[in-house]
Amino acid sequence: MGKTRSAPTLTDVAREAGVSTATVSRCLNTPERVIESTRQRVLQAVESLGYTPNFAARVMAAKRSFTIGAIIPTMDNAIFARGLQAFQDELRERGYTLLVSSSAYDPEAEREQIRTLVARGADGLLLIGHARDPEIYEYLDRHQVPSLVAWSYVPEARRPSVGFSNACAMRALAESVLAAGHRRIAMISGLTEGNDRALSRVEGVRQALQAAGLGEGALTLIETPYEIDKGAEAFRQLMALEPRPTVVMCGNDVLAAGALREAKGMGIAVPEQVSVTGFDDIELAAIVSPALTTVHVPHREMGRKAARELVAMVEGTSAGQPECISTHVVTRQSLAAPPGQS
């Protein structure tokens, strides 16, 4: 019987590439610190020898798993996809692997997933929004696991956040709606219980109405899950009111797409008879008809910056620096003056 061939080692790669083992290690772990010609030589040696880094040894040496956990509310739509992809891309460039869980907007499921990721050795966690039981943060503190919040910016919150002000973003959109002449305003919001992002967007609309001298009666609110069918159902309810609202502001683009679909089915022209707005500016917003006036959220920028900050927290070079990402209103065809106004 022939001898079993042993797996190539770091020393074998160094010998093949004509460099030191330290250079090979730097090339694999911090490639930006190695000049291009040397890096290519090392990578060619890795490829030709079939070398696989010893992950267990790396973990023991660094006392880290080089794994980051992220818990998002849902995988059912594209709202989190862009930001999470950019988050993962940045982590990969820094030598970290991403593990993702979805809580389905269930606080108990999120609690269980946090404990599972910590038990599996996640070095840090990305969380969406600030609304959760303080006991969870105490648990993370006890286990010394850094956590960062995204998709929301609250500088005074217990955890640092790299995100945006949902209230300010929606207030800016509401101000555009008011500037167009609307005074009978309806909103289809996501469920606000346990969702600080949805609640803040409702508050943003109310702030704009109050600043314009309009009372509570100026806003008709329906809360519903973030689904196209639910947006359509809520729109149908609003169109049954007398008098009808002249604009329907939606808590995200998915709800707005449902509203547009239902308007078409009911024979209601948008924006000639009623205006519709969204929030997030996902790809869907530009391809529906009419194209949606919405709030652009720079998801990729937020994802990359969140990854950089969380890695810095894990590696002890930052205590957690909050950062507010700018949003802006994107005006498209779904918003116009109310019927009878030019």
Side-chain angles (χ1 to χ4, degrees):
M1 295 179 63
K3 294 182 179 180
T4 301
R5 185 178 179 182
S6 61
T9 66
L10 192 74
T11 301
D12 295 330
V13 174
R15 185 183 304 112
E16 177 79 7
V19 298
S20 68
T21 55
T23 297
V24 174
S25 181
R26 277 196 301 273
C27 187
L28 296 177
N29 296 316
T30 54
E32 70 279 1
R33 296 175 55 194
V34 182
I35 63 173
E36 178 66 17
S37 59
T38 301
R39 185 165 65 247
Q40 288 303 320
R41 199 161 69 249
V42 170
L43 292 178
Q44 288 172 6
V46 167
E47 180 68 22
S48 65
L49 293 173
Y51 172 72
T52 301
N54 188 329
F55 180 74
R58 183 185 179 205
V59 168
M60 291 180 64
K63 297 182 180 179
R64 290 200 300 272
S65 68
F66 295 92
T67 300
I68 298 293
I71 303 172
I72 61 175
T74 180
M75 294 183 183
D76 284 344
N77 60 54
I79 290 172
F80 298 102
R82 271 192 233 167
L84 204 62
Q85 183 64 55
F87 183 77
Q88 178 177 265
D89 291 345
E90 188 71 24
L91 288 181
R92 186 174 63 247
E93 290 176 11
R94 294 168 184 271
Y96 287 79
T97 298
L98 176 64
L99 295 178
V100 182
S101 293
S102 173
S103 67
Y105 289 97
D106 182 346
E108 287 305 312
E110 186 195 55
R111 183 194 303 266
E112 179 182 339
Q113 289 161 354
I114 287 172
R115 291 180 177 274
T116 298
L117 287 167
V118 170
R120 294 192 176 193
D123 294 324
L125 294 181
L126 179 76
L127 305 174
I128 308 300
H130 293 275
R132 57 184 51 83
D133 192 325
E135 183 272 334
I136 294 174
Y137 295 129
E138 293 167 5
Y139 171 83
L140 292 172
D141 287 342
R142 287 198 304 273
H143 287 78
Q144 298 182 319
V145 176
S147 60
L148 180 75
V149 169
W151 271 269
S152 179
Y153 174 74
V154 182
E156 69 277 9
R158 183 168 179 176
R159 277 300 181 274
S161 53
V162 174
F164 56 96
S165 170
N166 286 270
C168 290
M170 188 58 99
R171 177 171 178 167
L173 180 57
E175 288 169 349
S176 294
V177 165
L178 291 167
H182 294 277
R183 293 299 180 268
R184 295 200 308 273
I185 299 168
M187 182 174 183
I188 304 174
S189 167
L191 302 175
T192 58
E193 184 177 359
N195 186 333
D196 55 324
R197 287 95 58 214
L199 180 60
S200 293
R201 292 175 196 180
V202 174
E203 290 174 348
V205 174
R206 287 185 167 140
Q207 289 169 8
L209 298 185
Q210 183 178 14
L214 301 177
E216 284 289 324
L219 178 65
T220 302
L221 177 66
I222 293 180
E223 294 188 17
T224 190
Y226 287 127
E227 300 171 15
I228 287 180
D229 288 345
K230 296 297 185 181
E233 180 183 331
F235 181 84
R236 188 166 58 250
Q237 293 176 36
L238 291 170
M239 292 302 100
L241 299 177
E242 187 59 46
R244 282 179 177 175
T246 61
V247 61
V248 177
M249 301 184 66
C250 299
N252 72 5
D253 294 336
V254 172
L255 292 174
L260 289 177
R261 189 190 73 184
E262 190 64 18
K264 184 176 181 180
M266 296 175 70
I268 298 174
V270 178
E272 292 81 5
Q273 292 176 274
V274 63
S275 291
V276 176
T277 65
F279 192 104
D280 280 315
D281 197 24
I282 59 176
E283 284 86 351
L284 181 67
I287 63 174
V288 292
S289 181
L292 273 172
T293 291
T294 187
V295 172
H296 177 76
V297 176
H299 294 95
R300 292 189 179 93
E301 177 188 357
M302 178 173 58
R304 283 198 172 274
K305 287 185 174 180
R308 290 172 197 153
E309 186 58 32
L310 186 51
V311 167
M313 292 168 67
V314 166
E315 296 180 352
T317 59
S318 174
Q321 184 64 41
E323 182 169 354
C324 187
I325 307 296
S326 296
T327 61
H328 64 270
V329 174
V330 178
T331 303
R332 297 194 180 102
Q333 292 74 41
S334 70
L335 174 64
Q341 295 186 28
S342 58

